[in-house]
Amino acid sequence: MVDDSPRSAIPSATPDLAPSRGDERARTLLPARQTFILDRLASAGSVSVTAIAGELGVSDMTIRRDLVELEREGRLVRIHGGAVVPDGPAPVIMDSDEPRFEARLRRGADGKAAIAALAAGLIAGHRTVAVDVGTTTYLMARHLREAPHIKVFTNSLRVSGLLDGGLPEVYVAGGRVRADEMSVYGPTAIAQFETLWFDVAVIGASGLTAEGFYDYSFEDADLKRVYLRRSGVRILLCDAAKFQRMSLVEVGKLSDITMLITDAEPPARIAAALAAARVDVRIASPAASA
């Protein structure tokens, strides 16, 4: 896990490690910063860009540049949001707060667009499709506007609005609306969709490990599980930046899905777990979707 030790953990003998943000003197302090990073890495096995930047009083960008230089020297291996010791397994990082939809939509945009295009092509021949909330499922829905003979069932008001006026028939669950995500949830929505059977469900996730896949929200996770229970083919869309990340709610195990669509090969431990669960892994190439 990442080390979030308080600022007081910085040795008092190195007060010059914490300059003001307006005057970082980055090059002058570089050796001291990098020594601090390597010490933390040796003791914890991993470091977080945000945590280290906060402790040293410098910007995230400064720490990222340090990590790039240390990686060139073979001293560490960078991962999303931080770094780990070389040749060690990447730690699982816990995401506590859900970023806003628009921020998530911009993050990893090329990879998500490739995943969305591949997913849309795979489900085009199905008649009844359950579409989850999320940024990648939203991007996928753009490809379905001109798809004939498809009935789309969703709890995402963004997806239903995007498909409004298109060829698919769209059915939206009834219930309470969760603000920024524009998702419908609650017992009414669950009861409505529990009576249906879908050819295919397309699910999003906030993170994926060898143990399962995750979401930030209890409410949205409830509908995801309905889709998983009531669908013949269960497709998880998850870009590679979400590997080895988890959040509040475990939605399901890898054995609960039949296919994973991502934009890069999963790490070895996740790949082995996917193979053991007999999950069909499809890699979407951002270059191919451009």
Side-chain angles (χ1 to χ4, degrees), residues 186-246:
T188 301
I190 292 171
Q192 286 178 333
F193 280 5
E194 279 278 19
T195 65
L196 305 176
W197 184 261
F198 311 110
D199 293 334
V200 58
V202 186
I203 308 292
S206 62
L208 186 148
T209 70
E211 284 67 44
F213 53 100
Y214 304 85
D215 192 73
Y216 297 103
S217 161
F218 283 114
E219 297 88 354
D220 290 346
D222 287 339
L223 265 295
K224 292 175 192 285
R225 295 190 188 106
V226 171
Y227 296 148
L228 293 170
R229 288 194 297 269
R230 305 298 295 177
S231 300
V233 177
R234 302 171 300 281
I235 302 175
L236 178 66
L237 309 185
C238 182
D239 59 277
K242 296 173 183 174
F243 294 153
Q244 289 299 94
R245 305 190 78 88
M246 63 185 297

Side-chain angles (χ1 to χ4, degrees), residues 6 70 111 146 160 206 213 239 262:
L70 289 168
E146 305 306 318
S160 67
S206 62
F213 53 100
D239 59 277
T262 185

Side-chain angles (χ1 to χ4, degrees), residues 131-135 137 154-156 181-184 204 220 224 227:
V131 178
D132 188 23
V133 298
T135 54
T137 52
T154 186
N155 62 315
S156 168
E181 197 63 28
M182 295 298 288
S183 59
V184 181
D220 290 346
K224 292 175 192 285
Y227 296 148

